Amino acid sequence: MRCAIKRVRTTAVLATAVLATASCSLVGGDDDGGGTDADGNPTEVVLLTHGSFSLPDDLVAAFEEESGLELVIRTGGDAGEVTNRLVLTKDDPAGDVVFGIDNAFGSRALDEGVLAPADVAWPAGAEQFALPGDDDRLLTPVDNGNVCVNIDTTYFAEKGLAEPETLEDLTEPAYRDLFVTPSAATSSPGLAFLLATIAEYGEEWPAYWERLMGNGAEIASGWTDAYQVAFTQGGGDGDRPIVTSYDSSPAFTVPEDGTASTTRALLDTCFLQVEYAGVLAGAANPDGAAQVVEWLVTPEVQAALPDNMYVFPVADGVALPEAWATLAERPADPAEVDPAEVAAERDAWLEEWTEITTR
């Protein structure tokens, strides 16, 4: 559900593409260009983010009115692609502030020095999502969600087939050719699923992936292709009833005439994903950038996140959509991998994963 959507003020694609495939499409508008006021202060602030970014226009307008800045939003790719582009352009950043770096890529952004300190007040509740190792609080938590395997429950009912429950179940012959997942190399939910399997199987994860691929698993380029194209409940003509998506996804597959979702998240397969915002080192407008980060954790923006980006807020006390209370069930104990280990091993893991999945 992370892609959908419309963006009115979007301007252009982020810098040079590093990875070939984006998980979400781009929807653009006009770039109004930069500028300064009579005192030489910047009149705009440029937000770099992933292709799933979407907030109501009235919220953006309110920020612009209050700050006196024009908010220019440049979208493209997913968290991994955004992070990679920031690294490549760190000596000449294409914007002032970034939103969407997640906990799988946060350590890379810190290690590469693409972020600058900023005095940003965090809302109550955000601290529990702080990125381990980010002692200078360069990355502010904005939202969270669990990447989980989802299933089309109507498919299994119609086939009289028992629903899978675990990662290991996906390697069973009964579920051959039924599972599709985004690429771990080009998609942040794809990487999160890989990390879920690493958390579950430890050093034996390559053997698990060999069994998974041997059972007909399909690798899609991104979440959109996996969910909206290949998944049987994704709105397309898909033929795969098992997909990697989010714990919030079942809240968006409720028929108009019903109260029950047609999908279910398998809560023993989940990996917690947290998204962060931060001021870019070398930003032309660092003060404006810090204002954007603070805006993203205001009660108004936090309340808009579930309906617009299908993620949970980090701030305490934010009301969730009514359907989420019953249909967006959260896992009690999602998988975790130490961010330091992710930073040290990510490239090697992806190289081995690519070798296994492209044989």
Side-chain angles (χ1 to χ4, degrees), residues 146-169:
N146 287 283
V147 173
C148 308
V149 174
N150 276 229
I151 62 170
D152 173 0
T153 54
T154 63
Y155 174 93
F156 291 98
E158 291 171 356
K159 298 292 184 183
L161 182 61
E163 298 175 356
E165 297 290 347
T166 67
L167 293 174
E168 191 62 31
D169 285 347

Side-chain angles (χ1 to χ4, degrees), residues 115-120 136-138 279-281 286 290:
L115 299 161
D119 185 17
V120 175
D136 295 327
R137 295 163 65 108
L138 301 180
V279 175
L280 294 175

